[in-house]
Amino acid sequence: MARYELVKRSVALITLTNPPVNALSSAVRHGIAKTMERALSDPKVTAVVICGENGRFCGGADIREFAGPLRGPPLVPLLDSIEAGEKPVVAAIEGVALGGGLELALFCHYRIAHFKARLGLPEVTLGILPAAGGTQRLPRLIGIPAALELITTGRHVSAQEALKLGIVDQVTEQNACEVAVEFALRAVAKPLSSRRLSSLTTPCPPNLDALLEAVTMQIQKKARGVMAPLACVQAVRAAATMPYSQGIKRESELMATLFNSGQARALQYCFFAERTAGKWTLPSGAQWNDIKPREIRSAAVIGLGTMGRGIAVSLARVGIPVIAVESDKKLLETGRQMVIGMLERDAKRRGVSASHNLLKFTLGLQDLKDVDLVIEAVFEDMALKKSVFRELSKVCRPATLFCTNTSGLDVDALAGVTDRPQLVIGMHFFSPAHVMKLLEVVCGPRSSSEIVATAMSLGKRMGKVSVAVGNCPGFVGNRMLKPYSDQATFLLEEGATPEQIDKALEDFGFAMGVFRMSDLAGLDVGWRVRKESGLTGPDVDPKNPPRRRQGRKYCPIPDMVCEQGRFGQKTGRGWYMYDKPGGTKAKPDPLIQNLIEMYRNRYGIQPRNITDQEIIERCLFALANEGFRILEDGIAARPEDIDVIYLFGYGFPRHRGGPMFYASMVGLQRVLERLEHYHQAHPDVPHLEPSPLLKKLVACGSPPVQKWREHIKTMHSHL
Ligand SMILES: C[C@H](O)[C@H](C)C(=O)SCCNC(=O)CCNC(=O)[C@H](O)C(C)(C)COP(=O)([O-])OP(=O)([O-])OC[C@H]1O[C@@H](n2cnc3c(N)ncnc32)[C@H](O)[C@@H]1OP(=O)([O-])[O-]
């Protein structure tokens, strides 16, 4: 839809109207075609201004339309008529001009941007490329190197940077529309030929091939197996080496190779899944858009260990005064220095001043009597956490909200020791808490909808992707991690090596394989959890550690590694060896290979050749299978939530969509068959037994992931 008005007696003002981001849906494209034709044919009209309703120019093509057959007028011929017209067309950019929105502006003869506007060609983040001339026009306007960087990264630039790059002609602090109308009136007399980007030659750097080669290498190194960025390089190469008409053909050829690809579908699924995750509903029927969150004006963090420090920084940097508490002077001083240091480095990186004044450090819980919200981040020990919550109930005013950063302990058990179980919730941050975007908001059965709403909105305010989950051991992320890492260690027993398993997972797209990731996180963390859950400990015979524990198959190799003091990067030895404690460059360690071979000999295990396909199937199908169980148990409301948790908390490759979307892409029938195959081979590994929900979805014809919810409804929700 596009609105047409005549202003200043001779300027046609065309306003795109498709809330919330004026995406270029077929209706909007129809609207532009009709209003442009009217403006160009009306003799009263001397110039045209295009703007967007609600202070947003245009968020690009309507991504929702990609799933179906494309209808309505094709974009490029429509935009050609704008550039070819004899009347100056000025784009008045407010809010955002992204993707097809910026391309629309690049067909206009002039671009005026509001100083708060953001511009960019983020198509590559959706697994595609700018297919409305962006790859041919932006290089002609700002040169190859700058255009290449923006198109292969999809980065948004500010209006100021866009002016410096030459993307826009003027930046204004006033209403961009009014400024554009004045600008258009002044442009009437000026020639337009030099303003038609299609007629310009692309300024080429002398080292073009070397530049394109270097960018290609960098992409292949950083974005393993991701297609779109490489196609973007090819399209920009066409802008440098072909006339515009051929370049635009090359652009659409390359787009055709991407548009229906699995990667594009996965990345577009992630776009919407991320936005769906924030829309929670509780068993009571309370939901995200009808519960008003409390405003948090002050907070406290208890415990300044690794997590507590990151949480304090994440609160202070968004302007929330924080009281940080530790149990003794030395820990408090160490914590204070580290938090201040992190806040300063973070502020420097963001080019802002550090908000030291918002931080207060204390040894006394009584200083927390008036805070709005407390986040407990002490050592992962139930008894210790309970004593903290009992104390808090005594000192904090009745309305103060209590949150725990436990990564898997029972939130309701903690709520039970307080005087306000309805005001207790889990806020599970991921390490480092001031960097990782994911926040699991763990709703106990007594958590009120008000505290759920408050925790979710506080997460958004802290720049987190917040997902509401139910209360069970390990919640969603860590609960699924166990079958995934268990399969990896079982594969070690059967013949694989840590390097082989990690390489298979990294070739699949993970930034780090399971063993390198464990070395980073610290092997002692998992060891302590296994001890606390009684799976290992001093009463286990180290000479003959049993391979069945608590009625299930158990692999003692990780314990044997820890018993040698190998805790990963922090000790310089783990599944890999590092040049020094804290080193990050992993090298295969023959001692680990010896340990595994001795272990196989002791139990008479004949190693066999294990394929990368088996590694991927056993690790990822076990992961997804636990995801199905979590949906059955109502611990997660929909598969999108699980996928967002794994994308933002566990480094699952975005171009694979997440464990549940990946399972749907592989085909639920195949996932079921492979799990049945592996469970038959390993009947003593319950998490390989296909979940009832998986069987049910296959029986229902394997509906697309977005439709699974309809089949989950029958189950009881813990959310
Ligand atoms: C030819 C051409 O070459 C090619 C082919 C293309 O152009 S491909 C398309 C390229 N364009 C993009 O990649 C930009 C994508 N959008 C964004 O980056 C952000 O949305 C935003 C613009 C920076 C606003 O952020 P926000 O935080 O203020 O709000 P939001 O929650 O994100 O969004 C608010 C609501 O708008 C929906 N939405 C946003 N952009 C949309 C789009 N392009 N198409 C359809 N829906 C969109 C979104 O799902 C949400 O819906 P709901 O959840 O309310 O139901």
Side-chain angles (χ1 to χ4, degrees):
M1 303 59 80
R3 193 173 52 245
Y4 185 94
E5 296 154 83
L6 192 63
V7 296
K8 303 277 179 186
R9 288 185 302 283
S10 67
V11 176
L13 178 60
I14 295 174
T15 306
L16 309 183
T17 57
N18 182 19
V21 298
N22 300 320
L24 297 167
S25 63
S26 59
V28 170
R29 297 196 305 274
H30 270 298
I32 295 173
K34 245 176 56 251
T35 50
M36 272 310 297
E37 192 186 334
R38 182 172 171 190
L40 293 176
S41 59
D42 182 343
K44 290 196 300 306
V45 172
T46 59
V48 183
V49 168
I50 300 179
C51 67
E53 196 173 47
N54 307 331
R56 282 178 161 177
F57 181 69
C58 178
D62 189 332
I63 307 167
R64 292 183 196 288
E65 290 187 348
F66 292 178
L70 286 188
R71 290 189 178 77
L75 196 51
V76 173
L78 169 66
L79 300 181
D80 279 338
S81 67
I82 294 176
E83 182 186 69
E86 290 311 323
K87 300 176 182 178
V89 182
V90 181
I93 299 171
E94 290 178 326
V96 291
L98 297 172
L102 178 55
E103 289 171 305
L104 164 60
L106 292 175
F107 276 82
C108 298
H109 305 107
Y110 300 95
R111 287 156 289 280
I112 307 294
H114 184 261
F115 75 108
K116 285 193 179 153
R118 286 183 295 146
L119 302 84
L121 294 175
E123 283 86 344
V124 72
T125 65
L126 298 169
I128 54 178
L129 54 72
T135 66
Q136 304 307 303
R137 289 170 173 271
L138 195 63
R140 282 172 166 76
L141 185 61
I142 68 174
I144 294 281
L148 195 58
E149 190 267 331
L150 289 183
I151 292 171
T152 55
T153 62
R155 180 172 70 83
H156 298 182
V157 295
S158 67
Q160 291 70 18
E161 186 180 354
L163 183 66
K164 226 169 44 246
L165 287 169
I167 299 175
V168 299
D169 302 288
Q170 184 180 335
V171 170
T172 176
E173 297 201 3
Q174 293 153 39
N175 175 303
C177 247
E178 289 158 13
V179 173
V181 168
E182 296 308 324
F183 188 100
L185 286 168
R186 292 195 300 277
V188 169
K190 297 187 182 146
L192 291 177
S193 52
S194 63
R195 304 301 305 181
R196 295 191 175 95
L197 297 180
S198 60
S199 63
L200 303 184
T201 308
T202 305
C204 264
N207 61 343
L208 176 68
D209 287 341
L211 169 70
L212 295 175
E213 197 46 42
V215 171
T216 301
M217 302 272 283
Q218 200 187 27
I219 289 170
Q220 281 165 340
K221 191 158 169 286
K222 208 158 139 256
R224 270 181 304 281
V226 183
M227 300 153 52
L230 297 172
C232 287
V233 175
Q234 293 311 311
V236 172
R237 178 190 292 277
T241 57
M242 297 178 182
Y244 180 81
S245 57
Q246 283 177 30
I248 206 92
K249 277 206 195 72
R250 181 79 182 118
E251 177 187 276
S252 58
E253 282 165 10
L254 289 161
M255 176 65 157
T257 64
L258 299 173
F259 192 72
N260 292 319
S261 67
Q263 293 191 5
R265 287 170 55 198
L267 289 161
Q268 286 150 32
Y269 164 81
C270 295
F271 176 83
F272 288 116
E274 205 181 316
R275 283 149 183 84
T276 308
K279 301 175 179 157
W280 51 274
T281 306
L282 295 182
S284 63
Q287 57 183 37
W288 62 284
N289 51 0
D290 60 18
I291 304 292
K292 192 168 174 331
R294 282 211 205 148
E295 196 201 341
I296 300 302
R297 290 179 300 277
S298 60
V301 176
I302 305 180
L304 287 177
T306 312
M307 296 307 293
R309 295 193 293 265
I311 297 169
V313 168
S314 304
L315 288 163
R317 72 176 167 198
V318 293
I320 299 174
V322 180
I323 302 177
V325 186
E326 250 304 350
S327 52
D328 72 44
K329 260 210 171 78
K330 193 160 168 297
L331 287 175
L332 186 68
E333 187 44 32
T334 313
R336 192 184 72 76
Q337 287 175 9
M338 294 191 80
V339 167
I340 300 292
M342 289 158 73
L343 201 64
E344 282 168 354
R345 287 191 297 280
D346 177 77
K348 193 152 166 276
R349 212 184 14 258
R350 294 184 303 131
V352 296
S353 58
S355 42
H356 297 131
N357 58 327
L358 294 178
L359 287 164
K360 187 169 166 235
F361 296 87
T362 179
L363 290 171
L365 279 182
Q366 61 283 352
D367 293 348
L368 310 190
K369 61 182 180 336
D370 293 324
V371 294
D372 291 336
L373 176 138
V374 179
I375 302 179
E376 164 277 311
V378 301
F379 193 66
E380 192 74 345
D381 174 80
M382 186 56 109
L384 174 61
K385 289 181 186 289
K386 281 186 172 175
S387 67
V388 169
F389 277 106
R390 280 195 197 90
E391 279 312 300
L392 285 173
S393 292
K394 295 189 195 118
V395 295
C396 292
R397 59 190 169 83
T400 300
L401 306 177
F402 292 170
C403 309
T404 171
N405 177 57
T406 175
S407 59
L409 297 175
D410 183 345
V411 170
D412 195 50
L414 292 170
V417 301
T418 71
D419 59 351
R420 61 198 76 193
Q422 79 290 358
L423 298 182
V424 176
I425 200 160
M427 287 185 80
H428 177 208
F429 292 84
F430 287 72
S431 182
H434 64 300
V435 176
M436 292 294 282
K437 286 201 69 164
L438 180 66
L439 174 67
E440 275 186 326
V441 172
V442 186
C443 311
R446 293 179 276 183
S447 301
S448 68
S449 55
E450 187 188 30
I451 192 169
V452 176
T454 305
M456 290 294 283
S457 83
L458 177 61
K460 190 160 187 180
R461 185 174 167 193
M462 294 165 83
K464 305 295 180 192
V465 174
S466 308
V467 183
V469 300
N471 178 37
C472 71
F475 314 136
V476 171
N478 288 343
R479 175 176 159 178
M480 287 170 69
L481 197 61
K482 184 152 179 11
Y484 169 79
S485 45
D486 279 0
Q487 279 303 307
T489 51
F490 291 151
L491 286 161
L492 281 186
E493 292 184 329
E494 296 162 40
T497 64
E499 304 82 61
Q500 183 201 1
I501 293 170
D502 279 355
K503 184 172 179 317
L505 292 168
E506 288 161 17
D507 289 350
F508 177 84
F510 278 93
M512 263 191 182
V514 60
F515 294 106
R516 281 206 305 136
M517 179 60 87
S518 312
D519 272 359
L520 173 68
L523 305 184
D524 52 330
V525 180
W527 198 28
R528 193 176 52 250
V529 173
R530 292 192 297 277
K531 284 179 184 166
E532 276 163 8
S533 54
L535 280 167
T536 188
D539 53 2
V540 170
D541 168 6
K543 296 226 169 344
N544 272 311
R547 296 178 61 215
R548 275 187 77 73
R549 314 256 174 116
Q550 295 175 355
R552 294 168 173 226
K553 182 177 180 178
Y554 183 86
C555 175
I557 296 176
D559 301 336
M560 296 158 71
V561 172
C562 290
E563 281 146 16
Q564 299 184 356
R566 304 174 68 105
F567 296 152
Q569 289 186 0
K570 59 179 136 188
T571 54
R573 287 256 185 284
W575 290 107
Y576 294 89
M577 59 183 180
Y578 301 85
D579 49 10
K580 62 182 186 318
T584 58
K585 194 143 181 30
K587 290 191 283 296
D589 189 338
L591 293 179
I592 284 288
Q593 207 40 45
N594 296 350
L595 180 149
I596 295 171
E597 276 156 18
M598 272 169 34
Y599 170 90
R600 291 181 189 141
N601 296 341
R602 180 186 309 165
Y603 291 98
I605 300 170
Q606 193 50 47
R608 61 184 174 82
N609 175 33
I610 299 204
T611 63
D612 289 0
Q613 183 188 343
E614 178 174 354
I615 292 169
I616 293 297
E617 288 186 346
R618 283 177 59 177
C619 291
L620 299 187
F621 293 175
L623 184 70
N625 198 32
E626 191 63 26
F628 285 114
R629 289 205 171 85
I630 282 174
L631 292 170
E632 285 163 359
D633 296 350
I635 297 296
R638 69 213 123 195
E640 289 92 335
D641 294 355
I642 295 177
D643 286 333
V644 165
I645 285 170
Y646 262 77
L647 294 171
F648 288 95
Y650 297 82
F652 198 98
R654 208 176 159 85
H655 68 280
R656 302 282 190 175
M660 309 317 284
F661 182 85
Y662 174 67
S664 74
M665 288 294 275
V666 168
L668 299 183
Q669 178 74 47
R670 174 152 180 82
V671 173
L672 177 59
E673 286 163 5
R674 298 309 291 163
L675 280 171
E676 284 168 341
H677 164 76
Y678 292 124
H679 189 231
Q680 210 163 20
H682 307 276
D684 52 354
V685 180
H687 61 236
L688 286 176
E689 182 179 6
S691 76
L693 177 59
L694 172 58
K695 292 180 185 163
K696 182 180 177 197
L697 289 169
V698 171
C700 300
S702 300
V705 68
Q706 292 86 348
K707 294 263 183 288
W708 291 359
R709 210 157 177 215
E710 292 151 26
H711 300 270
I712 299 168
K713 242 195 255 82
T714 54
M715 314 277 176
H716 51 277
S717 164
H718 286 274
L719 273 181

